[in-house]
Amino acid sequence: MSLLSTVLLSAAMASPLSPEVVKGEALFVANDLKASNAALDRALAANPNDVEAMWRKARNLYSQGEIDAQGGATSAQRIATYEEVLALAKRAQAADPSHPQGLFWEGTALGRIATAKGILSSLFMADDIERAWLKASNMKGFTYRAVNGASSFPGDTYFALGQFYRLCPDWAIVKVLTGTKGDIDESIRWLRKGVSDGPDRLEMSKELGVSLLCKAERDDDAAALAEGRKVLQAALKMPQRQKTETIDVKQIPIILERADQACGYSRDGWQDVSRESYGK
């Protein structure tokens, strides 16, 4: 069976995929983001309202932003990429409001704009990010899993929400000002759901390990520390299916060394989430 046929059989889609979207999906799995984007652009040229092409291109751009962050891209350069993701997400929602991927990628674009600018200076965005991801996670009628397991829906929402509730400060004042706040136990709950959805998805296990280390630091929880270290060590042995997971493998030893700073970990750059910095 060809890879393209496998893509079609392995993902439950809202509507049949165009041949160029099928190519774009297979090229994403093959880690060729440039060629994948070219195929998706052809799909959108043929049908400007092709939501399946829109969200896949948004995913490609997000992935490229993660890679660019390791190569020294400036915050402004990364934000420009995430603004492209945001535009595609809004376009997808306009084309089909019932499709959850538009909302998911809106939240993801806003989330990465926030980390590029700095979490503490972007707290005003927190409720919009949470709203988009929670609403997407509750929408029915669409499921998806990449043939290599590197991306899934609703699994991707679990991955995103787990990071949100760790990186967003859990202070009462944040709740007053934004309508939401962080919650490390909620972070761990979402990421455990994600690991259940994709037990061999390296990036999901890595984020669970990070949140457990964060809980250990915040709550002086020795059991969370031991489990977090165990989860991260196990993640090092998992298959690296996407270039972003190759980044994760390089970062895990650093995370283990900086376990007391795990609450501020983000793949695209460590965040200062301290009360002292917020008060400045």
Side-chain angles (χ1 to χ4, degrees), residues 54-280:
M54 291 178 209
W55 75 257
R56 284 174 171 80
K57 185 171 182 183
R59 179 179 62 183
N60 286 350
L61 290 170
Y62 158 79
S63 297
Q64 190 60 54
E66 300 291 273
I67 295 165
D68 291 346
Q70 311 308 310
T74 65
S75 294
Q77 289 170 328
R78 288 158 49 214
I79 289 169
T81 297
Y82 302 135
E83 285 176 343
E84 287 188 65
V85 175
L86 183 59
L88 283 163
K90 289 185 176 295
R91 184 176 161 190
Q93 290 176 66
D96 184 356
S98 69
H99 200 306
Q101 289 282 14
L103 270 170
F104 174 74
W105 288 105
E106 176 188 347
T108 300
L110 292 174
R112 273 298 180 252
I113 289 170
T115 56
K117 290 183 175 180
I119 289 291
L120 294 183
S121 61
S122 304
L123 288 176
F124 66 93
M125 301 166 63
D127 57 338
D128 290 330
I129 296 167
E130 181 190 41
R131 172 196 59 79
W133 283 336
L134 284 176
K135 187 173 180 180
S137 74
N138 288 320
M139 293 175 75
K140 308 300 181 184
F142 175 89
T143 59
Y144 161 83
R145 188 175 304 276
V147 293
N148 65 352
S151 177
S152 69
F153 194 91
D156 290 348
T157 65
Y158 308 156
F159 178 70
L161 285 161
Q163 293 174 75
F164 174 84
Y165 288 114
R166 183 184 73 246
L167 282 164
C168 186
D170 62 357
W171 318 322
I173 187 62
V174 175
K175 176 73 171 179
V176 171
L177 294 175
T178 71
T180 188
K181 66 183 183 69
D183 182 331
I184 193 58
D185 291 323
E186 189 71 355
S187 169
I188 291 169
R189 184 182 75 83
W190 281 107
L191 290 166
R192 289 198 193 282
K193 284 185 69 172
V195 169
S196 294
D197 177 76
D200 58 351
R201 184 170 169 181
L202 191 160
E203 63 180 358
M204 194 78 77
S205 289
K206 178 210 67 178
E207 292 295 339
L208 174 59
V210 171
S211 287
L212 286 163
L213 294 185
C214 176
K215 180 176 175 62
E217 178 64 20
R218 285 186 181 171
D219 298 346
D220 194 22
D221 188 325
L225 178 63
E227 184 184 1
R229 290 186 176 279
K230 182 178 179 180
V231 169
L232 288 169
Q233 292 289 356
L236 285 171
K237 301 175 183 177
M238 292 180 178
Q240 300 168 43
R241 293 163 175 161
Q242 300 298 128
K243 291 179 181 178
T244 48
E245 291 186 325
T246 300
I247 294 168
D248 292 334
V249 167
K250 292 178 180 177
Q251 291 184 347
I252 286 173
I254 300 169
I255 295 165
L256 289 166
E257 289 177 6
R258 298 176 62 176
D260 60 339
Q261 301 170 49
C263 296
Y265 168 78
S266 182
R267 183 196 279 148
D268 61 325
W270 291 75
Q271 298 290 312
D272 183 351
V273 292
S274 66
R275 287 181 179 270
E276 296 77 14
S277 295
Y278 180 67
K280 290 180 181 178

